Amino acid sequence: MRDVQFQTSYLIHPAGSCLASYGDTKVICTVSLEDRVPSFLEGRGCGWLTAEYGMLPGSTGGGRKQREIGKRDGRSTEIQRLIGRSLRASVDMEKLGERTLTVDCDVIQADGGTRTASVSGGWVALYEALSALAEREGRGGADYYLKGQLAAVSVGIVDGQVVCDLDYAHDSRAEVDMNIVKLEEAFVELQGTGEKGTFSSEQLASLIAAADEGLTFIFQKQRDALKIDSGFTFRQ
Amino acid sequence: MRDVQFQTSYLIHPAGSCLASYGDTKVICTVSLEDRVPSFLEGRGCGWLTAEYGMLPGSTGGGRKQREIGKRDGRSTEIQRLIGRSLRASVDMEKLGERTLTVDCDVIQADGGTRTASVSGGWVALYEALSALAEREGRGGADYYLKGQLAAVSVGIVDGQVVCDLDYAHDSRAEVDMNIVKLEEAFVELQGTGEKGTFSSEQLASLIAAADEGLTFIFQKQRDALKIDSGFTFRQ
Amino acid sequence: MRDVQFQTSYLIHPAGSCLASYGDTKVICTVSLEDRVPSFLEGRGCGWLTAEYGMLPGSTGGGRKQREIGKRDGRSTEIQRLIGRSLRASVDMEKLGERTLTVDCDVIQADGGTRTASVSGGWVALYEALSALAEREGRGGADYYLKGQLAAVSVGIVDGQVVCDLDYAHDSRAEVDMNIVKLEEAFVELQGTGEKGTFSSEQLASLIAAADEGLTFIFQKQRDALKIDSGFTFRQ
Amino acid sequence: MRDVQFQTSYLIHPAGSCLASYGDTKVICTVSLEDRVPSFLEGRGCGWLTAEYGMLPGSTGGGRKQREIGKRDGRSTEIQRLIGRSLRASVDMEKLGERTLTVDCDVIQADGGTRTASVSGGWVALYEALSALAEREGRGGADYYLKGQLAAVSVGIVDGQVVCDLDYAHDSRAEVDMNIVKLEEAFVELQGTGEKGTFSSEQLASLIAAADEGLTFIFQKQRDALKIDSGFTFRQ
Amino acid sequence: MRDVQFQTSYLIHPAGSCLASYGDTKVICTVSLEDRVPSFLEGRGCGWLTAEYGMLPGSTGGGRKQREIGKRDGRSTEIQRLIGRSLRASVDMEKLGERTLTVDCDVIQADGGTRTASVSGGWVALYEALSALAEREGRGGADYYLKGQLAAVSVGIVDGQVVCDLDYAHDSRAEVDMNIVKLEEAFVELQGTGEKGTFSSEQLASLIAAADEGLTFIFQKQRDALKIDSGFTFRQ
Amino acid sequence: MRDVQFQTSYLIHPAGSCLASYGDTKVICTVSLEDRVPSFLEGRGCGWLTAEYGMLPGSTGGGRKQREIGKRDGRSTEIQRLIGRSLRASVDMEKLGERTLTVDCDVIQADGGTRTASVSGGWVALYEALSALAEREGRGGADYYLKGQLAAVSVGIVDGQVVCDLDYAHDSRAEVDMNIVKLEEAFVELQGTGEKGTFSSEQLASLIAAADEGLTFIFQKQRDALKIDSGFTFRQ
């Protein structure tokens, strides 16, 4: 497990912001809030959350990454859909009301796990934005709008061994690669890919066990950063 | 479980083609073969496989689907990446040599499960295209180029019950939705999403068991369509 | 003249649909209906009809056809404008009222004549959609909204001979190529091109005569498919 | 018939250029020449000709025309394909050799007939460019590379009367609208559209007769502008 | 200094139009007027002015310029922003009221100085459009809406010498290149670039002095074209 | 004058990188180096430098900035061209040889002066990248490839007073706004805009004097960050 850090209130303009680090992977997560919803939700009294993911040109090893001007690449699209679905699962959209949260995750340095750092850091920035909203609206705290605490970690099988929170060196050699997002104890997303080698039910069980350990560690780091009391329980 | 059909040699021009039906869901899968690989693979002696996914404007209920002229939508991008990764896992790229297989999956009628029908139907079209190649190259049969038989099915939790091969009515109400791709006995892709409701480890186990049953049924339908003897074993 | 078939009610979701075959050329034609018109027509009490044309990647011989993601190619644009103008000529837009008909013609297999098969098949799908509308509105039948029966055929000069309904082998060798669309007895579109060889007034007359014969045959096939009584006359 | 003018050598940079006027319609036609052909023609010893058509934002009545940045509109695409096919029919591609002629037709003022003015003016600019080429190559004159003289005119039925060379006021009221391109005596393109009203075989004959008269007038104007002797005959 | 000409009322459709020539550089400038403003200005009672700049394919030496279909090139973007800012500085937006002026500058022949010819010619077309507006609104003359007379000129250092109004041959050899826009006596834009060689404060002073001389000449040419009395003073 | 900081070696992957801060404005500048040049420079033995500029969605006050997917906005295009021209002026392209330097400037927090911070920070990152190159090539130091030290500052007239290094509050109220880039003592770029109010020659002189003071301060900050001895002189 690499070191994990969440630097809150990282930028001055957004409603919430966080610099999330999983080892050398660094992602700026920002949240903005608008008082309207996409047209397909108008008039239902429910809110919405959408996410976008990008990588700065200088973020990657092995040469500069071209900007996605002109078209979004497939990998970014897939990742931002995962981030959006995950974070939506943590928000009580009826409590939020007709508002849209936009979570931007911009990778400034990549070393594996950018999507999991984005989900966990995105949740920290979300908590910050919802705390400010709760204060304006007299709602106690961010937890009023939240169904629980959410984080993500990657696990994989590298040289036959289960590894948690893969860096780039691991990731590029992994036979199996799985991203797990949990809301408290429950799965929100489970995405396992065995493009270079398939996996059995037994291996699946080991991967999930390793992820659970990693998530316990990350949940604590989020609480430390946000100064959430360790005894605090999100009602669900 | 809905009725599943694979109509082989569906079109006259492509190297392989199949009309895959999962209930009312109908997908035209075609395979083309080129004697070159993308530049990042040149000179390595290995082949490549890529997939594209689309929906005809008249394929969906609830109104016409706009054509993706100008930009690919996020859902299509995500689906075609899943189809590509899955089918790549079934091909022995060194045996294939410096060639590219392009699998096109075009939905002419949608009623849930279009991505799983695309994977299973895509594999049937792939088998057809590789049979023709094997004949031209004197390689016995398609199995020379294949690591095994591949199929996909969706499972979900609807009103608290596990359901296999969800149609649209199920899918839109499902609390949890999972797509499972297996190469013979082993997992290739496992994508579970609990956007509307999370899921526990116990539920995960039930979903996987239901998928296994469904896949046994679909594997048999593929074999029937391709006239693969039931005793035939792919070497791996 | 090749065999011509129109398979009605081909798909379950669209208001009208048809699989049109001119020999090995196969086109899925679907019609959708919306209760609004483009902004340039708002408030005039008139309807509108627009058409789109596409080819599936596996539809063509001589290699896979790339998808038109990012931009529409010139040929498709030209064809869909012809289809739209032709079908519009058959509809009484005042009777239709402020509604838009969208006709999608997607070629699943191409062997010459895809634009003429699209026009004739599009009219069959249109008739089907307007029949359903007539029933909902208590208007008797589709003919309430129609100015007459419409079909299209190609004619050309190949090796000095006039040929009707050119397949790909003819089309690629033709000195002159002409597409003719008629609403009953009258011309709606006449597009002759002599890129490889010009044509005289006498040849024009022979081409038109050949087209008339072909159209008589196609009109009958449309009536058979739609079960329109042979004695029925569209009022105009 | 409106006044028709061709102002040759209109610009200093292109190989050939012409300002074509059909009444108030004014089109800048320029021709450039490159010593290579598109990849589908390489190695065949034949040349190619392609055309592009555009309208300046201030060219139209009824408000500014938006620039086609981002995408080509359907009408422009259709028109430029017509211009390209027509002009190609006048060039002997084997004599031209592996070169590409690009003809740009940019409308600076529109009052009906922009496509026919583009074809006729494009041919004048083409003649100018090929004259210069003939001189450099010691080929006598432009006629070495040409199959004959080419021009275009529109005809239509307005209030039941046949009209030749329609201005915008006519065009917008026409029941039938036809564009005719001839290479000397023979048809190259014939595009008749009866969107607002169909046409009979008799009407077709009258339209063609009117076009012939108009073309005689335009052919003479081209010869005057290019100082081609009235007795000169293009060998074909 | 090259010859400078402004041909007013160049086209029949736009509110104002001008063919501006700086030597062989020729730009068609047209102005259109709409009774609405962009959304960011709605309800403020102020007008807006925006500019677009383009080059026809046959306008340049050294080969055909590709059309900017699909994307705007960086140089054009930079130039049209300069033209827009410059012309906006000459208009009293409160007097104009909630209207938008769109100035299109289309280069038909380029020989250096296209951006300065566009600014000066754009102002002439603007004056013409505002004269017509003043007449309709009973406002006396165009000067009601204007803060003053505006023109632009380029200056540069070529082979160590200061040159005013650079043609292409000068421009491509210039060590320093500066564009200066003045509203009467005052600077509106000053853009100096020393990409090929830096410049000192003394050189800056000489360049500005040369520009002042050039602008005096151009201001007079604008007045001649628009028939503005030489004694007339714009109130500011 | 606001505080100015350059944090060198900010990221691990790029050849050079710097976090530049001008007050609350923060820009990540990264430099990558490739062993090839754009096609228009091939075979001349000279190098090239290009710049790109972007803003993260959470970087701005007054709401989220939309990503430039699909098209580059005009302001970004204009800025990145300024950055590129400026930085190119500092590099000796013949010494660099056939290599391309790409400088990416990504604003993570904006409070006025993002383009000047990008130029000055870009030069720091450039120095870092060229130091590493000099070491690999045995060239002593970065100064081998450089014509001198380069920095930029903005100056403006706010409420009639000259201000140096404008923050957003100043910038949005400024009557005149000027960006000045100097290579040592000499001007490289001078871009003054008086959209909201013109400026006189006297004001121009005061603005330039204020910029000179600001640049002295920024040059020193660059030297401190890069540990360039204060007595060191770039040969030119």
Side-chain angles (χ1 to χ4, degrees):
Chain A
M1 202 64 202
R2 300 181 289 178
D3 186 32
V4 168
Q5 295 295 339
F6 302 101
Q7 186 177 337
T8 56
S9 301
Y10 184 66
L11 298 174
I12 58 176
H13 297 305
S17 64
C18 164
L19 175 66
S21 315
Y22 275 37
D24 278 336
T25 290
K26 290 180 197 305
V27 186
I28 298 178
C29 305
T30 59
V31 174
S32 70
L33 185 67
E34 278 177 299
D35 282 333
R36 56 195 187 81
V37 285
S39 53
F40 69 90
L41 277 179
E42 276 170 17
R44 300 202 193 170
C46 276
W48 186 242
L49 182 151
T50 184
E52 296 194 7
Y53 169 93
M55 297 182 86
L56 292 200
S59 63
T60 56
R64 179 175 178 271
K65 185 181 186 299
Q66 258 191 287
R67 272 168 217 274
E68 295 173 285
I69 301 295
K71 65 167 215 166
R72 209 88 183 87
D73 75 28
R75 180 184 163 275
S76 292
T77 301
E78 193 180 63
I79 291 176
Q80 72 189 13
R81 285 172 60 86
L82 168 68
I83 300 170
R85 283 196 309 265
S86 298
L87 291 173
R88 269 198 294 280
S90 75
V91 177
D92 183 326
M93 292 300 175
E94 296 189 9
K95 294 264 181 64
L96 181 61
E98 295 217 353
R99 290 183 180 105
T100 299
L101 291 155
T102 304
V103 184
D104 286 286
C105 300
D106 287 274
V107 178
I108 63 173
Q109 191 163 278
D111 185 36
T114 62
R115 80 189 72 188
T116 48
S118 294
V119 169
S120 304
W123 190 83
V124 170
L126 194 60
Y127 187 94
E128 204 173 273
L130 293 175
S131 294
L133 179 64
E135 192 154 359
R136 281 203 307 281
E137 305 263 309
R139 294 301 192 186
D143 61 293
Y144 173 78
Y145 305 102
L146 287 166
K147 293 183 176 169
Q149 188 176 353
L150 183 115
V153 77
S154 67
V155 285
I157 300 177
V158 184
D159 305 333
Q161 300 295 313
V162 170
V163 179
C164 186
D165 188 24
L166 288 72
D167 61 15
Y168 178 76
H170 280 138
D171 194 41
S172 53
R173 259 164 53 220
E175 295 110 56
V176 176
D177 176 23
M178 184 170 286
N179 292 290
I180 292 178
V181 186
K182 281 196 154 181
L183 179 71
E184 310 272 330
E185 301 289 301
F187 291 104
V188 166
E189 287 274 335
L190 182 73
Q191 294 207 342
T193 293
E195 193 178 326
K196 284 184 234 161
T198 56
F199 54 104
S200 66
S201 296
E202 293 70 38
Q203 286 172 315
L204 175 59
S206 311
L207 288 164
I208 288 173
D212 278 344
E213 256 184 84
L215 286 167
T216 302
F217 174 71
I218 296 165
F219 278 140
Q220 190 54 48
K221 288 288 188 176
Q222 289 178 320
R223 289 185 167 237
D224 293 351
L226 290 166
K227 301 187 178 31
I228 300 175
D229 195 274
S230 63
F232 180 83
T233 315
F234 285 84
R235 104 247 97 83
Q236 256 176 297
Chain B
M1 201 64 200
R2 300 181 288 177
D3 186 32
V4 167
Q5 297 294 339
F6 302 101
Q7 186 177 339
T8 56
S9 300
Y10 184 66
L11 298 174
I12 57 176
H13 298 304
S17 64
C18 164
L19 175 67
S21 314
Y22 275 38
D24 278 336
T25 290
K26 289 180 198 305
V27 186
I28 297 178
C29 305
T30 59
V31 175
S32 70
L33 185 68
E34 278 176 301
D35 281 333
R36 56 193 186 83
V37 285
S39 54
F40 68 89
L41 278 179
E42 277 169 16
R44 299 200 193 172
C46 276
W48 186 242
L49 181 149
T50 184
E52 295 194 7
Y53 169 93
M55 297 181 85
L56 291 200
S59 63
T60 55
R64 179 175 179 269
K65 186 180 185 301
Q66 258 191 287
R67 270 167 217 277
E68 295 173 284
I69 300 296
K71 63 167 219 167
R72 211 88 182 85
D73 75 28
R75 179 183 163 275
S76 292
T77 302
E78 193 180 62
I79 291 176
Q80 73 188 15
R81 285 171 61 86
L82 168 68
I83 300 170
R85 282 196 309 267
S86 299
L87 292 173
R88 268 198 294 280
S90 74
V91 177
D92 184 325
M93 293 299 175
E94 296 188 10
K95 295 263 182 63
L96 182 61
E98 296 216 352
R99 291 184 179 105
T100 299
L101 291 155
T102 303
V103 184
D104 286 286
C105 300
D106 286 274
V107 178
I108 62 173
Q109 192 164 278
D111 186 35
T114 63
R115 80 189 71 189
T116 48
S118 295
V119 169
S120 303
W123 190 83
V124 170
L126 194 59
Y127 188 93
E128 204 173 272
L130 293 175
S131 295
L133 179 65
E135 193 154 358
R136 282 203 305 280
E137 306 263 308
R139 295 299 192 187
D143 60 294
Y144 172 78
Y145 304 104
L146 287 167
K147 293 184 176 168
Q149 188 177 353
L150 183 115
V153 76
S154 67
V155 284
I157 301 177
V158 184
D159 305 334
Q161 301 295 312
V162 169
V163 179
C164 186
D165 189 24
L166 288 71
D167 62 15
Y168 179 74
H170 280 137
D171 194 40
S172 55
R173 258 164 52 221
E175 294 111 55
V176 176
D177 175 24
M178 186 171 284
N179 293 290
I180 291 178
V181 185
K182 280 195 155 182
L183 179 70
E184 310 273 330
E185 300 290 300
F187 291 103
V188 165
E189 286 274 335
L190 182 74
Q191 293 206 344
T193 292
E195 195 179 325
K196 283 185 234 159
T198 56
F199 54 105
S200 65
S201 297
E202 294 71 36
Q203 287 172 313
L204 175 60
S206 313
L207 289 164
I208 289 174
D212 278 345
E213 257 183 83
L215 286 167
T216 303
F217 173 72
I218 296 164
F219 277 139
Q220 190 54 48
K221 290 288 188 173
Q222 289 177 320
R223 289 185 166 237
D224 294 350
L226 290 165
K227 300 187 177 31
I228 300 174
D229 194 274
S230 64
F232 181 83
T233 313
F234 285 85
R235 101 254 86 92
Q236 256 177 293
Chain C
M1 202 63 201
R2 302 180 288 177
D3 186 32
V4 167
Q5 296 294 338
F6 302 100
Q7 185 177 340
T8 56
S9 300
Y10 184 65
L11 297 175
I12 56 176
H13 298 305
S17 64
C18 163
L19 176 67
S21 314
Y22 274 38
D24 278 336
T25 289
K26 289 180 196 306
V27 186
I28 298 178
C29 305
T30 60
V31 175
S32 70
L33 185 67
E34 278 177 299
D35 283 333
R36 56 196 186 80
V37 284
S39 53
F40 69 90
L41 278 179
E42 276 170 17
R44 301 204 193 168
C46 278
W48 186 241
L49 181 150
T50 184
E52 295 194 5
Y53 169 93
M55 297 182 86
L56 291 200
S59 63
T60 55
R64 179 177 179 269
K65 183 178 188 302
Q66 258 191 287
R67 271 168 216 277
E68 294 173 285
I69 299 295
K71 64 168 215 165
R72 210 87 182 87
D73 74 29
R75 180 184 163 274
S76 292
T77 301
E78 193 180 61
I79 291 176
Q80 72 189 15
R81 285 171 61 86
L82 168 68
I83 300 170
R85 281 195 310 266
S86 299
L87 292 173
R88 268 198 295 281
S90 74
V91 177
D92 184 326
M93 292 301 175
E94 296 189 10
K95 294 262 180 65
L96 181 61
E98 295 216 352
R99 291 185 179 103
T100 299
L101 291 155
T102 304
V103 184
D104 286 286
C105 301
D106 286 274
V107 178
I108 63 173
Q109 193 165 276
D111 186 35
T114 62
R115 79 189 73 188
T116 48
S118 294
V119 169
S120 303
W123 190 83
V124 170
L126 194 60
Y127 187 93
E128 202 173 275
L130 293 175
S131 295
L133 179 64
E135 191 153 0
R136 281 203 306 281
E137 306 263 307
R139 294 299 192 189
D143 61 293
Y144 172 79
Y145 304 103
L146 287 166
K147 293 184 176 168
Q149 189 177 352
L150 183 114
V153 77
S154 67
V155 284
I157 301 176
V158 184
D159 304 333
Q161 301 296 311
V162 170
V163 179
C164 187
D165 189 25
L166 289 71
D167 62 15
Y168 178 76
H170 280 137
D171 193 42
S172 54
R173 257 165 52 220
E175 294 110 56
V176 176
D177 175 23
M178 185 171 287
N179 293 289
I180 291 179
V181 185
K182 279 197 156 180
L183 178 72
E184 311 273 330
E185 300 290 302
F187 290 104
V188 166
E189 287 275 334
L190 181 73
Q191 294 207 341
T193 291
E195 193 178 327
K196 284 185 235 162
T198 56
F199 54 105
S200 66
S201 296
E202 294 68 38
Q203 287 172 313
L204 175 60
S206 312
L207 288 164
I208 288 174
D212 278 343
E213 256 185 83
L215 286 167
T216 303
F217 174 70
I218 296 165
F219 278 139
Q220 190 56 47
K221 288 288 188 174
Q222 289 178 320
R223 288 186 167 238
D224 293 350
L226 291 166
K227 302 185 175 35
I228 300 174
D229 195 90
S230 64
F232 180 83
T233 314
F234 285 84
R235 105 247 93 85
Q236 254 176 297
Chain D
M1 201 66 200
R2 301 180 287 178
D3 186 32
V4 168
Q5 296 296 338
F6 302 101
Q7 185 176 340
T8 56
S9 300
Y10 184 66
L11 298 175
I12 57 176
H13 298 305
S17 63
C18 165
L19 176 67
S21 314
Y22 275 38
D24 279 335
T25 289
K26 288 179 197 306
V27 186
I28 298 177
C29 305
T30 59
V31 175
S32 69
L33 184 66
E34 279 177 301
D35 282 334
R36 57 194 185 82
V37 285
S39 53
F40 69 90
L41 278 179
E42 277 169 17
R44 300 201 193 169
C46 277
W48 185 242
L49 181 151
T50 184
E52 295 194 7
Y53 169 92
M55 298 182 86
L56 290 201
S59 63
T60 55
R64 179 175 178 269
K65 183 177 187 304
Q66 258 191 287
R67 271 167 215 278
E68 295 174 286
I69 299 295
K71 63 170 216 165
R72 211 86 182 86
D73 74 30
R75 180 183 163 276
S76 292
T77 302
E78 194 181 61
I79 291 175
Q80 73 188 12
R81 285 170 63 85
L82 168 69
I83 300 170
R85 281 196 309 266
S86 299
L87 292 172
R88 268 198 295 280
S90 74
V91 178
D92 184 326
M93 293 301 174
E94 296 188 10
K95 295 263 182 63
L96 182 60
E98 296 216 353
R99 292 185 179 105
T100 299
L101 291 155
T102 303
V103 184
D104 286 286
C105 300
D106 287 273
V107 178
I108 63 173
Q109 192 164 278
D111 186 37
T114 62
R115 79 189 71 189
T116 48
S118 295
V119 169
S120 303
W123 189 82
V124 170
L126 194 60
Y127 187 94
E128 202 173 274
L130 293 175
S131 294
L133 179 65
E135 192 153 0
R136 281 204 306 281
E137 307 262 309
R139 294 299 193 190
D143 61 294
Y144 172 79
Y145 304 103
L146 287 166
K147 293 184 176 167
Q149 188 176 354
L150 183 115
V153 76
S154 66
V155 283
I157 301 177
V158 183
D159 306 332
Q161 301 296 312
V162 170
V163 179
C164 186
D165 188 24
L166 289 70
D167 62 15
Y168 178 76
H170 280 138
D171 193 41
S172 54
R173 257 166 51 221
E175 294 110 57
V176 176
D177 175 24
M178 185 170 285
N179 292 290
I180 292 178
V181 186
K182 281 196 154 180
L183 178 71
E184 309 274 330
E185 300 289 302
F187 291 104
V188 166
E189 287 274 334
L190 182 73
Q191 294 206 342
T193 292
E195 194 179 326
K196 284 184 235 162
T198 57
F199 54 105
S200 64
S201 296
E202 294 70 37
Q203 287 172 313
L204 175 59
S206 313
L207 289 164
I208 288 174
D212 278 344
E213 255 184 85
L215 286 167
T216 303
F217 174 71
I218 297 165
F219 278 139
Q220 190 54 48
K221 290 287 188 174
Q222 289 177 321
R223 288 185 167 238
D224 293 350
L226 291 165
K227 302 186 177 27
I228 300 175
D229 195 274
S230 63
F232 180 83
T233 314
F234 285 85
R235 103 250 89 87
Q236 256 177 294
Chain E
M1 201 65 200
R2 301 181 287 178
D3 186 32
V4 167
Q5 295 295 339
F6 302 100
Q7 186 177 340
T8 56
S9 301
Y10 184 66
L11 298 174
I12 57 177
H13 298 304
S17 64
C18 163
L19 176 66
S21 314
Y22 275 38
D24 279 335
T25 290
K26 290 181 197 303
V27 185
I28 298 178
C29 305
T30 59
V31 175
S32 69
L33 185 67
E34 279 177 300
D35 282 333
R36 56 194 186 82
V37 285
S39 54
F40 69 89
L41 277 180
E42 277 170 15
R44 299 202 194 169
C46 277
W48 186 241
L49 181 150
T50 185
E52 296 194 7
Y53 169 93
M55 297 181 86
L56 291 200
S59 63
T60 56
R64 179 175 179 270
K65 186 181 184 300
Q66 259 191 287
R67 270 168 217 276
E68 295 174 285
I69 299 296
K71 64 168 215 164
R72 209 88 182 85
D73 75 27
R75 180 183 163 276
S76 291
T77 301
E78 193 180 62
I79 291 176
Q80 73 188 14
R81 285 171 62 86
L82 168 68
I83 300 170
R85 282 195 310 265
S86 299
L87 292 173
R88 269 198 293 281
S90 74
V91 178
D92 184 325
M93 293 300 175
E94 296 190 8
K95 294 263 180 63
L96 181 61
E98 296 216 352
R99 293 185 178 103
T100 299
L101 291 155
T102 303
V103 184
D104 286 286
C105 300
D106 287 273
V107 179
I108 63 173
Q109 192 164 278
D111 185 35
T114 63
R115 79 190 72 189
T116 48
S118 294
V119 169
S120 304
W123 190 83
V124 170
L126 194 59
Y127 187 93
E128 203 174 274
L130 293 176
S131 295
L133 179 64
E135 192 154 358
R136 281 204 305 282
E137 305 263 309
R139 295 301 193 188
D143 61 293
Y144 173 78
Y145 305 102
L146 287 167
K147 292 185 176 168
Q149 188 177 353
L150 183 116
V153 77
S154 67
V155 284
I157 301 176
V158 184
D159 305 334
Q161 301 296 313
V162 170
V163 180
C164 187
D165 189 24
L166 289 71
D167 63 15
Y168 179 75
H170 280 137
D171 193 41
S172 54
R173 257 165 52 221
E175 295 110 56
V176 176
D177 175 24
M178 185 170 286
N179 293 290
I180 292 178
V181 186
K182 280 195 155 181
L183 179 71
E184 311 272 331
E185 301 290 300
F187 291 104
V188 165
E189 287 274 335
L190 181 73
Q191 294 206 342
T193 291
E195 194 179 326
K196 283 185 234 160
T198 57
F199 54 105
S200 66
S201 297
E202 294 69 38
Q203 287 172 312
L204 175 59
S206 313
L207 288 165
I208 289 173
D212 278 344
E213 257 184 85
L215 286 167
T216 301
F217 174 71
I218 296 165
F219 277 139
Q220 191 53 48
K221 289 288 188 174
Q222 289 178 319
R223 288 186 167 237
D224 293 349
L226 290 166
K227 303 185 178 31
I228 300 175
D229 194 274
S230 63
F232 181 82
T233 315
F234 285 84
R235 107 244 95 82
Q236 255 176 296
Chain F
M1 200 66 200
R2 300 182 288 177
D3 186 32
V4 167
Q5 296 295 338
F6 302 101
Q7 186 177 338
T8 55
S9 301
Y10 184 65
L11 298 174
I12 57 177
H13 298 305
S17 64
C18 163
L19 175 67
S21 314
Y22 274 37
D24 278 336
T25 290
K26 288 179 197 307
V27 185
I28 297 178
C29 305
T30 59
V31 175
S32 69
L33 184 66
E34 278 176 300
D35 282 334
R36 55 194 186 82
V37 286
S39 53
F40 68 90
L41 279 179
E42 276 170 17
R44 300 202 194 169
C46 277
W48 186 243
L49 182 151
T50 185
E52 296 194 5
Y53 169 93
M55 297 182 85
L56 291 201
S59 64
T60 55
R64 179 175 179 271
K65 185 180 185 300
Q66 258 190 289
R67 270 168 217 276
E68 295 174 284
I69 300 295
K71 63 168 217 165
R72 210 86 182 86
D73 74 29
R75 180 183 162 275
S76 292
T77 302
E78 192 181 62
I79 292 176
Q80 73 189 12
R81 285 171 62 86
L82 168 68
I83 300 170
R85 282 195 308 265
S86 299
L87 292 173
R88 268 198 295 280
S90 75
V91 178
D92 184 326
M93 294 301 176
E94 297 190 9
K95 296 263 181 64
L96 182 61
E98 295 217 353
R99 292 184 179 106
T100 299
L101 291 155
T102 304
V103 184
D104 286 287
C105 300
D106 286 274
V107 178
I108 62 172
Q109 192 163 278
D111 186 35
T114 62
R115 80 189 71 189
T116 48
S118 294
V119 169
S120 303
W123 189 83
V124 170
L126 194 59
Y127 187 94
E128 205 173 272
L130 293 175
S131 296
L133 178 65
E135 193 154 358
R136 281 203 306 281
E137 306 263 308
R139 294 300 192 187
D143 60 293
Y144 173 78
Y145 304 103
L146 287 166
K147 293 184 176 167
Q149 188 175 353
L150 183 115
V153 76
S154 67
V155 284
I157 300 177
V158 184
D159 306 332
Q161 301 295 313
V162 170
V163 179
C164 186
D165 188 24
L166 288 73
D167 62 16
Y168 179 75
H170 280 137
D171 194 41
S172 54
R173 257 165 52 220
E175 294 110 57
V176 176
D177 175 24
M178 184 170 285
N179 293 289
I180 292 178
V181 185
K182 280 194 154 182
L183 179 70
E184 310 273 329
E185 300 290 301
F187 291 104
V188 166
E189 288 274 335
L190 181 73
Q191 293 206 342
T193 292
E195 193 179 325
K196 284 184 234 161
T198 56
F199 54 105
S200 65
S201 297
E202 294 69 38
Q203 287 172 315
L204 175 59
S206 311
L207 289 165
I208 288 173
D212 278 344
E213 256 184 85
L215 286 167
T216 303
F217 174 72
I218 296 164
F219 278 140
Q220 190 54 48
K221 289 287 188 175
Q222 288 178 319
R223 289 186 166 236
D224 294 350
L226 290 165
K227 300 188 178 33
I228 300 174
D229 195 89
S230 63
F232 180 84
T233 313
F234 286 84
R235 88 269 72 109
Q236 256 176 296

